Each structure stands twice: as C-alpha cells, then as structure tokens.
C-alpha cells in the first residue's frame, strides 16, 4: 500500500503545479463566463417577443452569437482564436493564453444556460411586477435574477465542470495544467502512475465543484 | 373612479382573429366593489388585464381617476400602475423572498426609503393578519395565507383601485370566505375601489355592490347585486343565480305534487326581497281571501344584509280568490311565478 502511494506521489510537486494551473485557467475563464455570459443570457431573454423588453433585432443577433459560439467544436476554436489571443495576451502559449479560448467557449454556453433559467420563471410573477409599475431593469435585478438564482448557480457549476475538461484540452496545446501533464507524462512517456493520479485528481475536483454547487444552489432555493 | 368606454381587444392568431372583448362600457364609482362574472372564455381575464394595460386594447378608452391610460407613455403608465393594484388567482409571489420581502417589493419599486419601507411593511403584514409568518417563504404558506400576502403587497403603495383576477378561485371555501371578508374590510377602511372577476356567483353575492354579467366578450346584464338576484333577465344570469340559490324543489315536494291525491289549487313560487320578509303576508292572505295556503318549501338568504328568499306555496280556494291573491302579492312588490294551475290566471 505504502509502496503504491509512494509510486503515485513521486510527482507530487509536478502535479500540484498542474492543479494550480488548471484552477487558474478554470477560475479566470469562469469569471469571464459569468461576467459576460449572464448579461448575454439576460438580454437574450428579455428581448424576446412577449418579454419585458422586446427587440427582435437584438434578440436575433444575440441568439445567433450564442448558437454560433456553441456550435464550434472547442478543439477548432482553440486553434482559430490564436491570432486573437496573441493580440490581447501577447502570446498564444501558457495558461493565461489558454484562458482566451476557454472564456470564448464558456460565455455563449453560460448565456444559453441563463436564458433557459430565466425562461423557467413563472410568467405570472413577471407580470405582477409589471402591474406594479416596475421598470424592465427593476424586473431584471429584483425578479428575474433572484428567482432564477438557484438555476443559475447550477448553470455556473455545469460551466465550471465543462471548463475543467476543456482546460485539459487547452493544456495539451501549450496551456499547462493537469491535462497537459496527463498527456505529456502519462500518454507520451508511458508513465501510467501520473496518468492515473491526474485523472483521480480531476475526478475529485469535479465532484467537489458539483457538491459545492448543489449546496449553494439549495441554500438559495425556497421554492419548496 | 373608473370609466371604460367601448373597450375592445382582438387577438390575431394563426387560426384567425378572436375578439375576446368587444365594446365594453363600464362605470365604477369610488369605494364600490364591482363584480364581473361570466363563464370560461367569456373574456373576464382579458377585460381586467386591459384595465391596467397588461393587455393592450385594440380600441377604447380606460379612464381611472381622471387619467386616460391608453395614451400614456411607458414611464407615466408605470407611475399610474402603482396606484392600480392587482391580485391574482395564482398569487404570483416571489418565491425567493419572504412574506416581508414580497410586501416590500412594490415599495422598493416606488423608491420608498428603507426606514419608511420597514414600517409600512410591518403595518401591512399586521393588516392582513400574518405577523407571525413574516419571515416565512411563500412555499411555507397555505393558499389563503399566500393571497393575504398578495393583498398586503397590493395595498403597499396606497392604491385607489384594486383589480382582482379570480383571487379566490384556487382557494377552499373557508379561505375564500376569509379573503372576501378581508377585501370587504379594506374597502371600508381605505375606501378602495375594487373590481373583481370571478366565475362563482357566491363571490358576487358575498362582497359585491354591483355586478356585470359578461358573455362572449359582451356585457349582457348589469345592475346592483340585489337587482340582479331578484330580477335576473338573461338565461345565463339565471343559471348563475341558481348555482347559489336553490330554486329547485326538493324531491319531497316534487313527490307531493305529482301525487294526484292532493286537492286542485295553484302552486306559486314567490320571491321576496328586503322588508317584506318581516310582514305576515301569508296569514294576511289566508284571512283576507279565505283560501288555504300550504307552504311547501322556503329558502331565505341574505345579500348584503338584505333578506332575500323564495317560497313555494300551494294555494287552494275559489278561482277568483286565487287570482286576486296573486294580484295582491304582486302589489306587495313580490315576484310571483305560477308553477302549476296556469289556467287560473
Ligand atoms: N393571448 C391570447 N391570444 C389569443 N387568444 C386569446 C389570448 N388570451 C385569451 N384569448 C381568447 O380570448 C377569449 C377570452 O379569454 P379570457 O382568458 O379573457 O377568458 P376568461 O373569461 O378569463 O375565461 P376563464 O374563466 O377560463 O379564465 C378566449 O376565447 C381565449 O381563447
Ligand atoms: Mg380567466
């Protein structure tokens, strides 16, 4: 047993660094996803016909952006945005550079999740706010967002988990992180221990994110 | 207080146009509880929802407290809406806020300062009798309690008008009664004008001063609740009234009548309203016209504290005495309907 543990933890330092890099990539791109994806989703929802701020042009545009963003395979996005990444980060290699394609993939994903979460809200509740004379903006931050908060938190959780797996892919093309380690050491150098260890850590990270997300969402959910 | 002129709402759908309400005219005085009753699909919800422009009318005018609503800009309309409160069948409370938070919501919208908001919320929650539930979430309340929150919330910005869209339709009879009592009380205390729509005549009977019957988008009959109950004209109105006041003869009476043994006479249904109930009309009839009267069935109800009743009586005696009796009853202001023995009149 001890031997096995020793075997597994020979590359402790390496894996710890990889974990940190993964967290950095996921955390930062998740931050962008929330900061930009939530407004994207909100505006998409409220500009729908029959919603509180109907605007067909904006709605079509944002819907298009979300759909296109979501239909590009990540591996292609990763390569396609390299010039753009260079432009804003200065380089296309490294964890910070990896954040660009990760965020670009996560923003429309988050946007659609928020859009769906808001559409789940009972129309009657929104209507009652309108009947009280609430402005569209008041409805957004006093009705839509609080009422959809549990669903949005679960959506952020889902996005975070997707980002963990995407970050492994981004890592493989020069971004670092656990995925990079798993491929470079585990796959290319046949170090099965490292491969298993990184996978175990990724599984644990994903479980933890899901657990925390569920807990948080539950604490905001007063529907029953 | 409220004046509606030629209000029409047409929905354009792929299956063709539907005129949900057509040419509605209404006048409701301040402090009045005005009921609108009609069958499913008659246009009740459409009508009440156009009153605060949740539904944009195709044609017509809505004047509330001297302000014509259909011509207002979005910003002015929002300001007006704070004075036109609404309660709903499904309550429409914010599930993410407690009772306190829900009642505070319209005050936040109106931009009331925090300190005053807190006091008003407390007072409103007391008014509807929910002080011990102030920190509960809607999911932890019964239907009746949720509607109380809905009412407290509706009253928050001191409205002049309260629109009620089937507010008691998803409540049990007990809660319905207590919510109607509450509405009636706040009308008295705050001189609120209330328009309520319902498909239950019981609700109309319980709280309304005046009522309009709506069928297929048009008002077919309108009047004080007493008028409508005592002299309904349209078949639909009669049908609604039957649902709360039992005109049907109980089987026992029907059986007695079909029994050929009983002596020939006339069978009358006499409906009376108000003071007449206190006069010994029947005994007077018997003495004056020298006839026999047999009360087969009686039913007395109250509408707005005015007694309202129906009697089914069997009169026996000479032909001319019987027709004189009918005339006498009619002269007393009673509604008389001959159920059997029509040849006499
Ligand atoms: N948004 C809409 N689009 C198209 N038709 C509608 C719409 N809303 C209502 N209608 C139609 O208008 C008519 C009146 O509907 P309304 O909801 O006002 O009836 P109601 O009297 O409230 O009925 P209920 O007692 O069942 O609630 C119905 O024929 C309905 O199908
Ligand atoms: Mg309705």
């Amino acid at each position: 047993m001890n031997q096995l543990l020793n075997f597994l933890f020979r590359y402790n330092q390496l894996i710890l660094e990889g974990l940190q890099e993964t967290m950095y990539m996921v955390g930062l791109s998740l931050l962008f996803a929330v900061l930009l994806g939530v407004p994207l989703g909100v505006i998409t929802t409220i500009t729908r016909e029959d919603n509180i701020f109907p605007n067909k042009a904006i709605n079509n545009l944002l819907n298009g952006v979300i759909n296109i963003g979501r239909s590009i395979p990540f591996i292609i996005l990763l390569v396609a945005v390299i010039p753009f990444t260079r432009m804003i980060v200065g380089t296309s290699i490294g964890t910070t550079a990896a954040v660009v394609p990760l965020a670009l993939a996560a923003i429309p994903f988050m946007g659609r999740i928020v859009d769906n979460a808001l559409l789940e809200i009972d129309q009657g509740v929104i209507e009652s706010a309108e009947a009280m004379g609430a402005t569209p903006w008041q409805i957004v931050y006093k009705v839509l967002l609080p009422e959809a908060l549990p669903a949005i938190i679960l959506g952020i959780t889902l996005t975070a988990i997707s980002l963990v797996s995407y970050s492994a892919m981004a890592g493989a093309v020069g971004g670092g992180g656990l995925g990079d380690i798993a491929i470079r050491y585990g796959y290319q150098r046949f170090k099965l221990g490292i491969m298993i260890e990184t996978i175990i850590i990724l599984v644990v990270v994903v479980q933890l994110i899901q657990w925390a997300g569920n807990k948080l969402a539950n604490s905001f959910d007063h529907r029953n | 207080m409220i004046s509606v002129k030629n209000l029409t709402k047409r929905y354009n759908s792929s299956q063709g146009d539907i005129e949900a309400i057509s040419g509605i005219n209404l006048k409701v005085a301040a402090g009045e509880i005005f009921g609108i009753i009609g069958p499913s699909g008659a246009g009740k919800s459409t009508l009440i929802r156009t009153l605060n422009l949740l539904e944009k009318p195709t044609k017509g005018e809505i004047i509330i407290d001297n302000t014509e609503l259909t011509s207002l800009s979005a910003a002015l309309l929002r300001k007006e809406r704070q004075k036109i409160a609404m309660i709903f069948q499904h309550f429409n409370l914010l599930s993410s806020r407690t009772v306190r938070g829900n009642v505070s919501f319209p005050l936040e919208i109106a931009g009331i300062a925090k300190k005053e908001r807190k006091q008003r919320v407390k007072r409103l929650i007391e008014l509807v009798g929910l002080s011990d539930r102030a920190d509960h979430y809607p999911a932890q309340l019964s239907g009746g309690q949720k509607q109380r929150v809905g009412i407290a919330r509706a009253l928050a910005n001191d409205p002049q008008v309260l629109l009620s869209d089937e507010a008691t339709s998803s409540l049990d009879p007990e809660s319905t009664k207590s919510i109607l009592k509450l509405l009636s009380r706040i009308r008295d205390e705050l001189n609120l004008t209330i328009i309520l729509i319902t498909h239950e005549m019981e609700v109309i009977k319980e709280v309304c001063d005046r009522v309009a019957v709506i069928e297929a988008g048009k008002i077919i009959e309108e009047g004080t609740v007493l008028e409508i109950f005592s002299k309904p004209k349209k078949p639909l109105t009669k049908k609604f009234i039957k649902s709360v006041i039992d005109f049907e003869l109980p089987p026992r009476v029907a059986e007695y009548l079909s029994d050929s043994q009983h002596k020939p006479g006339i069978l009358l249904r006499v409906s009376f309203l108000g003071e007449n109930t206190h006069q010994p009309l029947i005994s007077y009839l018997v003495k004056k016209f020298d006839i026999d009267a047999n009360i087969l069935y009686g039913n007395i109800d109250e509408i707005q504290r005015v007694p309202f009743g129906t009697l089914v009586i069997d009169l026996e005696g000479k032909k001319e005495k019987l027709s004189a009796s009918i005339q006498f009853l009619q002269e007393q202001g009673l509604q008389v309907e001959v159920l059997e023995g029509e040849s006499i009149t």
Side-chain angles (χ1 to χ4, degrees):
Chain A
M1 187 69 196
N2 236 343
Q3 228 174 350
L4 180 71
L5 279 180
N6 271 337
F7 173 71
L8 280 177
F9 287 107
R10 270 173 312 168
Y11 298 94
N12 246 342
Q13 188 56 34
L14 179 74
I15 283 179
L16 213 63
E17 266 168 30
L19 181 61
Q20 268 171 2
E21 284 169 2
T22 295
M23 297 303 235
Y24 172 78
M25 287 189 285
V26 171
L28 203 58
S29 52
L30 187 65
L31 183 71
F32 284 117
V34 172
L35 287 181
L36 296 171
V38 171
L40 178 63
V42 168
I43 298 171
T44 308
T45 300
I46 65 172
T47 52
R48 278 170 194 262
E49 209 181 341
D50 291 337
N51 216 294
I52 56 171
F53 199 77
N55 188 318
K56 215 174 169 134
I58 297 181
N59 185 259
N60 284 342
L61 176 74
L62 297 187
N63 243 323
V65 167
I66 292 179
N67 285 341
I68 292 169
R70 293 204 51 210
S71 56
I72 300 173
F74 183 67
I75 198 86
I76 294 180
L77 184 77
L78 206 53
V79 181
V81 298
I82 285 177
F84 179 65
T85 308
R86 274 212 191 98
M87 208 172 77
I88 51 174
V89 187
T91 169
S92 64
I93 301 168
T95 47
T96 305
V99 168
V100 176
L102 285 173
L104 283 178
I107 290 165
F109 187 70
M110 194 66 219
R112 186 59 82 208
I113 283 171
V114 170
D115 180 37
N116 286 340
L118 299 186
L119 289 175
E120 283 297 303
I121 299 170
D122 183 4
Q123 203 55 37
V125 175
I126 300 167
E127 212 164 58
S128 69
E130 282 188 294
M132 285 180 234
T135 61
W137 170 239
Q138 284 173 323
I139 293 178
V140 167
Y141 81 95
K142 285 182 185 292
V143 179
L144 298 184
L145 292 177
E147 288 290 296
L149 191 58
I152 292 175
I153 290 172
L154 289 178
I156 293 174
T157 309
L158 185 65
T159 309
I161 289 172
S162 302
L163 280 171
V164 170
S165 84
Y166 280 178
S167 77
M169 237 190 280
V173 295
L178 287 175
D180 180 33
I181 293 170
I183 289 176
R184 270 194 293 135
Y185 290 78
Y187 182 71
Q188 287 164 353
R189 297 190 207 164
F190 305 107
K191 302 216 164 151
L192 192 62
I194 291 192
M195 176 92 113
I196 292 172
E197 202 172 330
T198 50
I199 289 173
I200 289 173
I201 290 175
L202 285 174
V203 168
V204 170
V205 165
V206 167
Q207 297 283 352
L208 276 175
I209 293 175
Q210 189 64 58
W211 174 83
N214 287 347
K215 248 335 277 152
L216 196 64
N218 258 328
S219 73
F220 283 107
D221 191 350
H222 303 289
R223 281 170 299 186
N224 42 52
Chain B
M1 173 58 75
I2 301 169
S3 166
V4 169
K5 286 180 198 153
N6 197 23
L7 198 63
T8 298
K9 172 73 188 182
R10 216 180 348 255
Y11 288 111
N12 310 308
S13 71
S14 49
Q15 288 96 316
D17 292 0
I18 303 167
E19 203 155 284
I21 51 170
S22 28
I24 299 267
N25 290 295
L26 275 181
K27 269 200 181 348
V28 181
E32 197 169 34
I33 302 187
F34 189 88
I36 297 168
I37 188 166
S40 183
K44 304 183 294 292
S45 298
T46 308
L47 173 55
I48 201 152
R49 288 161 50 80
T50 46
L51 292 184
N52 59 0
L53 262 69
L54 278 180
E55 218 63 81
K56 219 176 138 37
T58 313
K59 238 187 8 224
E61 277 180 20
I62 302 154
I63 300 164
I64 295 184
D65 195 25
N66 299 321
T67 307
E68 208 287 310
L69 297 186
T70 59
S71 54
L72 293 179
S73 68
L76 284 175
L77 175 64
R78 282 198 289 269
K79 205 86 201 133
E80 265 331 286
R81 276 178 170 169
Q82 293 178 7
K83 299 280 160 217
I84 309 168
M86 193 168 196
I87 53 176
F88 305 85
Q89 176 174 5
H90 300 296
F91 323 118
N92 296 347
L93 302 176
L94 294 167
S95 66
S96 55
R97 289 185 178 217
T98 60
V99 170
R100 213 188 289 281
N102 269 285
V103 178
S104 164
F105 179 70
L107 296 169
E108 293 167 26
I109 285 173
I112 307 291
K114 193 167 178 183
K115 200 165 157 231
E116 187 185 347
R117 216 162 60 209
K118 272 181 113 169
Q119 291 170 347
R120 279 217 233 171
V121 167
K122 188 161 177 282
R123 204 154 29 82
L124 287 159
I125 294 175
E126 271 165 22
L127 177 76
V128 299
L130 281 179
S131 299
D132 56 334
R133 293 281 189 284
D135 292 313
H136 284 54
Y137 285 93
Q140 302 165 309
L141 302 176
S142 72
Q145 289 169 333
K146 282 184 207 167
Q147 197 57 286
R148 283 169 185 276
V149 180
I151 292 172
R153 178 175 76 169
L155 297 178
N157 283 319
D158 298 323
Q160 289 149 333
V161 172
L162 176 66
L163 306 175
S164 161
D165 186 355
E166 303 263 12
T168 58
S169 296
S170 45
L171 302 180
D172 60 274
E174 202 62 30
S175 314
T176 297
K177 275 229 157 72
S178 81
I179 291 295
L180 293 177
K181 263 215 184 93
L182 177 63
L183 287 180
S184 180
R185 202 184 94 210
I186 56 176
R187 185 272 302 265
D188 295 343
E189 286 176 12
L190 310 172
N191 194 37
L192 203 62
T193 308
I194 302 179
I195 294 192
L196 64 83
I197 65 163
T198 180
H199 60 268
E200 295 168 328
M201 203 60 179
E202 184 67 35
V203 171
I204 301 283
K205 180 177 153 241
E206 208 73 33
V207 286
C208 293
D209 304 310
R210 283 201 302 137
V211 57
V213 183
I214 182 171
E215 186 176 27
K218 293 198 173 73
I219 291 180
I220 57 165
E221 200 165 350
E222 191 187 335
T224 67
V225 172
L226 279 173
E227 275 166 16
I228 296 290
F229 268 80
S230 54
K231 293 178 197 116
K233 292 189 191 79
K234 295 283 173 15
L236 177 65
T237 316
K238 289 182 182 160
K239 203 177 116 207
F240 275 124
I241 291 170
K242 265 188 193 155
S243 68
V244 280
I245 293 178
D246 201 2
F247 284 133
E248 297 299 312
L249 299 179
R252 173 181 57 78
V253 180
E255 215 168 275
Y256 168 83
L257 293 174
S258 63
D259 186 356
S260 54
Q261 293 281 303
H262 94 273
K263 285 174 260 161
I266 53 169
L267 187 67
L268 300 180
R269 186 194 342 248
V270 181
S271 308
F272 50 88
L273 180 67
E275 300 316 310
N276 291 330
T277 39
H278 303 305
Q279 294 169 21
L281 281 173
I282 304 296
S283 66
Y284 185 80
L285 201 68
V286 170
K287 281 183 212 149
K288 182 167 181 195
F289 297 101
D290 185 29
I291 54 171
D292 280 337
N294 184 12
I295 299 176
L296 296 177
Y297 175 66
N299 177 337
I300 299 186
D301 218 314
E302 262 193 7
I303 298 168
Q304 319 222 294
R305 296 183 210 95
V306 176
F308 171 74
T310 308
L311 273 184
V312 176
I313 45 180
D314 191 13
L315 297 182
E316 283 163 26
K318 293 215 184 78
K319 237 182 178 182
E320 59 282 8
K321 297 280 185 194
L322 291 180
S323 48
S325 310
I326 293 174
Q327 208 184 341
F328 168 76
L329 289 172
Q330 281 168 339
E331 277 161 11
Q332 301 302 308
L334 303 182
Q335 296 269 108
V336 183
E337 190 183 346
V338 181
L339 296 178
E340 239 181 68
E342 249 141 311
S343 58
I344 288 174
T345 47

